[in-house]
Amino acid sequence: MGGRIVVIVGPTAAGKSAVAMALAERVGGEVVSADSQQVYTGMDIGTGKVMPADRRGIPHHLIDIVAPDDDMTAARFAALADAVLADLAGRRVPAIVCGGTGLYIRALLLGLFEGPPADPDFRAGLAEVAARDGTHAVWERLAAVDAPAAARIADTDLIRITRALEVLEKTGITLTEHHRRHDHRRAPLRYPCRVVAIAPPAEELYPRIDARVEDMLARGLLDEVRSLRARGFCPPLRSQAAIGYAALHRHLDGAISLGEAVRLIKRNSRRYARRQVSWYRRDNSVLWHREATTVDLASLERYLRETDHDPGDHAH
């Protein structure tokens, strides 16, 4: 594995990418994305990718690496990120990990518990329920038996909902309890790191999220979804359950109006932002900032340039 890293986390629209690039410029570093949707090709606008022309010459990794019908898991992400970080360490290039997917960060820094193998029959049964009653109905089953897991998982993400129910079915223990037993306070840290969270207050963040949604639509998000559909990428693919894409697929299917789709995108984005923040609030070692502009880049630069790992190295 590689050397010490800086990890930039926080909710959507908080300014994580700008901080990651500013730090990378200072130290001659490269950015490793930890976003579960930016891995997909053809999903640019709705996932908030920093496009190549806007990356200021800074290499970005783990963006546009799989097709929308490919299966990307936290474990697979961690393996890919390990390879990138090992390469950067070998070249003595500082690494800045940036992303809003808490499970990906946890997998990278702390590893994941060994869950039971997939059960095709169990999954098929839940897929039938979702087809008949809607994905939300399956999510409600999860909420009834593992409310904390349901709070972390969008009610459109059938794959993650199914996995959480499958873990309980096969082990008799909830996914939340498995994660608790794989306690990050006891788990060995896989990388020495500094974790910085940017979390503007809700009254400032939510208007930014709404404006960002409007900007995505103005830049052609609906056409992006049409293009995905033309290439055969439609629900129930996991990638197409992403916020923004799911609602616009429903609109293009004729199920809801465009106005209702936009309302749902904004609402679900705000809910996701709350989940992103709550994921890290339990860890006192995370360095919190209200705004991207208050992040102490000089301190993070010193940390990345040091060669000896100190006892204060930590993760969330």
Side-chain angles (χ1 to χ4, degrees):
M1 288 186 290
R4 55 173 57 191
I5 60 177
V6 165
V7 184
I8 310 295
V9 301
T12 183
K16 299 183 297 293
S17 294
V19 171
M21 287 196 294
L23 180 58
E25 283 186 319
R26 289 180 70 115
V27 300
E30 299 183 10
V31 175
V32 182
S33 171
D35 187 290
S36 62
Q37 302 303 324
Q38 293 185 3
V39 296
Y40 296 113
T41 59
M43 296 174 60
D44 301 334
I45 299 171
T47 63
K49 289 176 188 171
V50 179
M51 300 308 293
D54 300 318
R55 293 175 191 168
R56 307 203 289 265
I58 300 166
H60 282 58
H61 303 273
L62 302 188
I63 293 175
D64 293 330
I65 57 173
V66 295
D69 59 351
D70 203 348
D71 189 28
M72 177 60 72
T73 64
R76 184 181 176 189
F77 163 80
L80 292 169
D82 283 344
V84 171
L85 292 171
D87 173 66
L88 294 179
R91 293 189 283 119
R92 302 186 67 81
V93 174
I96 298 95
V97 176
C98 178
T101 304
L103 186 58
Y104 277 25
I105 299 295
R106 174 181 285 173
L108 177 64
L109 300 182
L110 303 167
L112 297 168
F113 79 93
E114 292 293 331
D119 182 334
D121 291 337
F122 181 80
R123 293 185 175 198
L126 290 182
E128 290 180 6
V129 174
R132 183 183 68 244
D133 303 326
T135 303
H136 186 79
V138 185
W139 180 88
E140 287 182 327
R141 292 191 181 188
L142 177 61
V145 294
D146 189 355
R152 295 192 302 268
I153 300 173
D155 63 1
T156 58
D157 191 342
L158 181 60
I159 290 180
R160 290 185 64 200
I161 295 167
T162 297
R163 180 56 177 166
L165 288 168
E166 182 179 55
V167 167
L168 176 59
E169 173 72 15
K170 296 304 171 186
T171 69
I173 300 171
T174 65
L175 186 63
T176 297
E177 178 62 13
H178 277 294
H179 284 159
R180 188 195 68 77
R181 294 181 183 184
H182 187 77
D183 192 339
H184 66 268
R185 290 167 295 187
R186 297 194 300 265
L189 188 63
R190 300 181 72 241
Y191 292 91
C193 62
R194 289 285 184 266
V195 181
V196 176
I198 306 168
E203 63 271 18
E204 297 177 12
L205 181 64
Y206 291 173
R208 288 190 211 171
I209 290 174
D210 289 350
R212 190 182 195 193
V213 172
E214 294 290 349
D215 179 64
M216 288 178 173
L217 290 162
R219 290 191 290 117
L221 178 55
L222 185 57
D223 285 338
E224 183 169 272
V225 177
R226 288 194 180 104
S227 176
L228 290 164
R229 291 165 70 90
R231 294 158 55 203
F233 302 131
C234 300
L237 288 176
R238 183 175 190 170
S239 65
Q240 302 312 297
I243 294 172
Y245 295 90
L248 290 177
H249 277 295
R250 291 182 62 194
H251 164 63
L252 292 173
D253 285 337
I256 58 176
S257 68
L258 179 58
E260 175 64 5
V262 173
R263 186 190 72 79
L264 289 173
I265 295 170
K266 291 178 178 179
R267 184 202 70 181
N268 292 340
S269 295
R270 292 191 294 268
R271 288 179 175 177
Y272 181 52
R274 289 198 294 271
R275 292 197 299 272
Q276 288 175 302
V277 172
S278 65
W279 183 276
Y280 297 100
R281 284 294 185 194
R282 294 166 294 201
D283 189 344
N284 294 329
S285 66
V286 174
L287 307 174
W288 288 92
H289 295 269
R290 284 173 57 100
E291 293 293 341
T293 54
T294 65
V295 175
D296 187 351
L297 295 178
S299 174
L300 296 176
E301 178 180 0
R302 287 192 299 273
Y303 174 73
L304 286 171
R305 293 193 185 282
E306 291 170 0
T307 56
D308 296 325
H309 299 165
D310 66 52
D313 290 343
H314 57 259
H316 69 283

